Amino acid sequence: MPVLTRLIPSPVSVDIAAGALENLAGLLADQRISTSGRLAVAISNGSGTALRERLAPALPGADWYEVAGGTIDAAVQLADAMRTGHYDAAVGLGGGKIIDAAKYAAARVGLPLVAVATNLAHDGICSPVSTLDNDAGRGSYGVPAPIALVVDLDVIRQAPLRYVRSGIGDALSNISALADWELSHRETGEQIDGLAAAMARQAGEAVLRHPGHCGDDDFLTVLAEALVLSGLAMSIAGHSRPSSGACHEISHALDLLYPRRSAPHGEQVGIGAAFATHLRGDTQRATLIAETLRRHGLPVTPEEIGFGPEEFTEAVAFAPQTRPGRYTILEHLDLTTDEIRDAYADYVKTIGS
């Protein structure tokens, strides 16, 4: 009998714990990620500076690079600076923008990337995608997933609370994204990867059902694990389908139409997930998602992040253009502007104030 299997791309190490940062040098050596200690460490000029002072004595062979934000230009400049260093590996130390820029730069240079997350704003900490600003707005670029991930809960608790809450919205959006994937399977025959779907679903449901709050280590651990599982689900599927549907199309539309006003990614996709679930007619699930967002202090309407009903209506109408070829509830219903406006009014009435 043949044994059929597949290789699953995944990190060699995932360390999520209070004080995990203290073992970074040991992890790099023990896992043979960097036997020589020659590292290129990408940091921000904010929180990264303080962490550099803390970590530099344990990483004497590291060169430190300050990255000017999460743009494609900054990522390319980082890659160019890293080319002559003869490094074993790169380390992205910071929030999502720094890690995304480091993932892209490491891919260009051909180095493995260790992600050291200082907040839990979105599932990019362990995904095979870099989301970077470019001249046209914001783009998603396929890259290798991190070879290792470190999340120090002591550091996470020091991050701005808004950027920890954002990760909750991103994890919850899996639930809506999977419903879109299943809809596409029924309507277009698009194949579903069952393992990827199972991992993304467990990530979303774990955060949805957990009774804890952002200050609890137990909840932060579950949230961090959910974001890791979401990234792995995308690696297994080979695309972002397990975690990206109409919810992300709406968020991308807000980014493109109002680039100077967009809110944190997780806040936008959380609203998008609740609204898209409402469009599917699943009132109970839409209300549950909205209640969970509210319980954690996240917005549930676009007005709460500075967008009026007409602007949100415009974004929903434009959203399908952000992912050509992707089939979600938005493409399925193909609503007119008036129908979107009416659906949004009904959504607000349904979820309450």
Side-chain angles (χ1 to χ4, degrees), residues 261-343:
R261 297 169 51 197
S262 56
H265 172 80
E267 293 185 4
Q268 293 183 171
V269 299
I271 294 170
F275 179 65
T277 303
H278 175 76
L279 288 180
R280 290 186 206 94
D282 192 346
T283 302
Q284 182 176 1
R285 180 54 66 96
T287 302
L288 179 57
I289 292 173
E291 289 174 348
T292 304
L293 291 170
R294 277 203 187 101
R295 185 168 67 84
H296 289 290
L298 281 102
V300 297
T301 66
E303 288 96 330
E304 294 173 70
I305 55 173
F307 296 105
E310 289 303 317
E311 292 173 319
F312 185 70
T313 297
E314 182 183 6
V316 173
F318 181 75
Q321 299 180 49
T322 68
R323 286 291 182 271
R326 181 156 293 188
Y327 193 88
T328 76
I329 190 63
L330 299 180
E331 288 80 4
H332 180 67
L333 295 178
D334 192 22
L335 300 174
T336 66
T337 300
D338 286 342
E339 288 171 333
I340 295 171
R341 189 179 295 112
D342 291 343

Side-chain angles (χ1 to χ4, degrees), residues 54-108:
R54 174 180 167 185
L55 294 174
L59 303 172
D63 290 331
W64 300 77
Y65 297 92
E66 288 191 4
V67 180
T71 68
I72 187 68
D73 289 341
V76 170
Q77 290 172 10
L78 175 61
D80 291 342
M82 288 164 47
R83 288 187 190 282
T84 59
H86 305 290
Y87 301 114
D88 293 331
V91 177
L93 173 61
K97 291 183 179 180
I98 299 302
I99 291 176
D100 277 352
K103 283 193 293 186
Y104 185 89
R108 283 179 69 102

